[in-house]
Amino acid sequence: GGGETFGDRSLSQGLSVLVGLGLCVTMLGLGCAVELGQLGQQLRRPVGLLLALLGQFVAMPLLAFLLALIFALDEVAAVAVLLCGCCPGGNLSNLMSVLVDGDMNLSIIMTASSTLLALFLMPLCLWIYSRHWINTAVVQLLPLGAVSLTLGSTLLPIGLGVLIRYRHPRAADLLVKISLWSLLVTLVVLFILTGTMLGPDLLAQIPASVYAIAVLMPLAGYALGYGLATVFKMPPHCRRTVSLETGCQNVQLCTAILKLTFSPELIGSMYMFPLLYALFQSAEAGLFVLAYKMYGKDSYKQDTLGEEEDTDISYKKLKEEEIADTSYGTVTTEEHNSIQMEPTQTAL
């Protein structure tokens, strides 16, 4: 009944439009952040591409599947969790990477790569991991074709953003900032509108296990990403970047797929899962940033200053050697004083 009420609300159509526009603006901003020169470098040394592949389409889908099994979710909740786990990286990771002094080039390349790979790998992951619930009505109606179509529609704003970056870099910088702010505003508006449309009764029907997964899944994603970067022996700032890229999912895409491909009567309150995930992934990433600012910032500065001090010491040694070369064999201050005193004694 709650799902039917949700479907009959007059705001439902407006919500669909908001989801679509928000996704387009986000993908446009992602395209504006990509530079063709950096993309060429990553293709020659595709570490970012490999990390995006392993993090977003190996680790996170498997994590979502295992959590759905451990918490014994029903088919509707399981599909919502799997959709979120199979989504590519989101733009939130780019913003958080700046706050933890991460590698921005790596962050942007990973987000863009996972978005492009999602066109083929997201439907494949959904097909593989939904086999456990294959006899249920929701999985039988899982619209993999519509998922691919939604993913394909994101390529147009991404390509437009890359073109704007190539021809109008200043406008691209502005659009990147607009997309980041629109991300935050859209999530807040979606959370409020969806909560209003679903109503407190239907929200209360969301199982506690779903809330637990919304808390644990991004946290485990951050840990898996950091461990993955450690295996690749990446420097600390790259480990932080990969960690955030792995745990932060493109919840706008997940919301768009749920909204545009499933009927409200079918998906019901599970439409809230990607919004819950967005809430907790943002809160946990904020704690990550806060911990770094309090405890990791000093070590980062010391490492940077240490490199500068090494350069200064080497420069000083070089200058001392030059002075020593022009002193005609004088080595110590005492020898220098004795040499100065000898002409006085001879004169006497």
Side-chain angles (χ1 to χ4, degrees):
E4 293 177 0
T5 302
F6 176 49
D8 293 337
R9 297 280 184 153
S10 59
L11 289 177
S12 181
Q13 189 66 30
L15 188 61
S16 299
V17 174
L18 177 63
V19 168
L21 288 176
L23 182 61
C24 287
V25 173
T26 300
M27 294 299 99
L28 178 65
L30 175 60
C32 288
V34 176
E35 294 186 4
L36 295 178
Q38 296 174 0
L39 188 60
Q41 293 176 2
Q42 290 296 325
L43 291 177
R44 290 190 294 270
R45 187 172 175 269
V47 178
L49 180 64
L50 179 60
L51 289 171
L53 173 64
L54 294 176
Q56 298 296 344
F57 302 108
V58 176
M60 291 304 292
L62 180 59
L63 174 63
F65 175 73
L66 292 176
L67 288 174
L69 288 181
I70 291 171
F71 286 91
L73 298 183
D74 60 47
E75 65 274 12
V76 176
V79 165
V81 171
L82 284 175
L83 271 172
C84 193
C86 295
C87 278
N91 284 33
L92 179 66
S93 59
N94 306 140
L95 177 62
M96 293 299 177
S97 294
V98 174
L99 299 178
V100 296
D101 299 315
D103 188 333
M104 277 306 298
N105 290 336
L106 177 62
S107 177
I108 292 170
I109 290 299
M110 285 188 66
T111 304
S113 299
S114 65
T115 302
L116 296 177
L117 288 171
L119 184 63
F120 308 100
L121 295 181
M122 186 176 176
L124 177 62
C125 289
L126 287 172
W127 181 81
I128 292 173
Y129 288 108
S130 65
R131 298 299 91 190
H132 182 76
W133 299 275
I134 189 62
N135 294 324
T136 62
V138 176
V139 175
Q140 288 177 353
L141 294 174
L142 185 62
L144 296 179
V147 171
S148 300
L149 182 62
T150 304
L151 289 167
S153 65
T154 63
L155 297 181
L156 181 60
I158 291 176
L160 179 60
V162 172
L163 180 63
I164 293 175
R165 165 62 65 182
Y166 179 72
R167 294 191 174 182
H168 307 285
R170 292 184 179 179
D173 292 336
L174 179 61
L175 287 173
V176 169
K177 295 178 181 178
I178 292 174
S179 69
L180 290 175
W181 280 108
S182 69
L183 166 65
L184 300 177
V185 173
T186 301
L187 289 178
V188 171
V189 173
L190 281 176
F191 198 87
I192 295 173
L193 289 181
T194 304
T196 302
M197 293 168 64
L198 290 174
D201 295 336
L202 191 57
L203 288 176
Q205 296 177 11
I206 299 177
S209 57
V210 173
Y211 286 98
I213 291 177
V215 174
L216 293 175
M217 194 168 156
L219 189 62
Y222 295 141
L224 286 172
Y226 197 90
L228 184 63
T230 303
V231 170
F232 277 79
K233 298 180 180 180
M234 304 190 78
H237 71 290
C238 290
R239 294 180 189 179
R240 296 191 295 270
T241 302
V242 176
S243 174
L244 290 168
E245 281 293 328
T246 305
C248 289
Q249 300 296 89
N250 190 338
V251 291
Q252 299 105 306
L253 179 60
C254 184
T255 303
I257 291 174
L258 287 175
K259 180 62 181 172
L260 301 177
T261 61
F262 288 100
S263 65
E265 296 83 1
L266 188 63
I267 203 66
S269 61
M270 286 303 101
Y271 179 69
M272 281 294 292
F273 179 77
L275 301 180
L276 292 174
Y277 188 95
L279 176 65
F280 289 113
Q281 83 172 3
S282 303
E284 291 166 7
L287 292 176
F288 188 175
V289 172
L290 181 61
Y292 172 73
K293 296 294 185 183
M294 293 177 63
Y295 302 106
K297 189 77 173 178
D298 293 337
S299 62
Y300 175 78
K301 288 181 178 179
Q302 288 175 1
D303 292 340
T304 306
L305 290 174
E307 294 177 359
E308 294 178 354
E309 288 175 359
D310 291 341
T311 305
D312 293 340
I313 291 172
S314 300
Y315 178 75
K316 290 177 181 177
K317 287 181 178 179
L318 179 62
K319 295 300 291 183
E320 289 175 357
E321 289 176 359
E322 291 178 355
I323 295 173
D325 291 339
T326 57
S327 61
Y328 301 105
T330 56
V331 178
T332 62
T333 306
E334 294 177 357
E335 291 178 356
H336 180 69
N337 291 336
S338 62
I339 292 173
Q340 283 184 340
M341 291 176 63
E342 285 178 3
T344 306
Q345 293 175 357
T346 305
L348 288 174

